[in-house]
Amino acid sequence: GVFFCSLFWTLYCSSVEGVVVNPSMVRRDAGKHYKNIVDKPITAGTKIRIKGEKGSWFKVEVDDKYVGFIDKDDAEVI
């Protein structure tokens, strides 16, 4: 039972790492019409944690500081 719980957690509940490939603004929700969380775009090469997906957007955590959304075209899963 413990093994299967651990496997479930690893496969379905843990976050995936990614990297920003194009400078991107982090938004409050999935869509360009939502406000930005940060003042400056996240630079290419920044490591992120992908928490989920919503349409063509990734829900991400950046530097353990904030959680928001970036366009999937601006990030790659690693």
Side-chain angles (χ1 to χ4, degrees):
V2 173
F3 172 75
F4 288 111
C5 288
S6 174
L7 182 63
F8 174 79
W9 180 262
T10 302
L11 293 176
Y12 297 104
C13 297
S14 63
S15 21
V16 176
E17 290 188 341
V19 65
V20 176
V21 292
N22 297 317
S24 180
M25 296 302 287
V26 180
R27 301 187 183 270
R28 292 193 187 280
D29 206 342
K32 293 196 183 263
H33 57 282
Y34 289 101
K35 288 187 176 187
N36 298 329
I37 293 176
V38 293
D39 296 329
K40 298 179 185 176
I42 298 172
T43 58
T46 302
K47 205 171 187 182
I48 55 175
R49 287 195 172 277
I50 299 172
K51 302 296 227 174
E53 298 180 34
K54 190 173 183 182
S56 64
W57 294 79
F58 283 131
K59 183 176 184 179
V60 299
E61 179 180 354
V62 183
D63 299 330
D64 296 328
K65 294 179 184 174
Y66 44 88
V67 176
F69 289 82
I70 64 171
D71 196 314
K72 283 184 179 178
D73 293 337
D74 295 334
E76 290 288 330
V77 176
I78 54 172

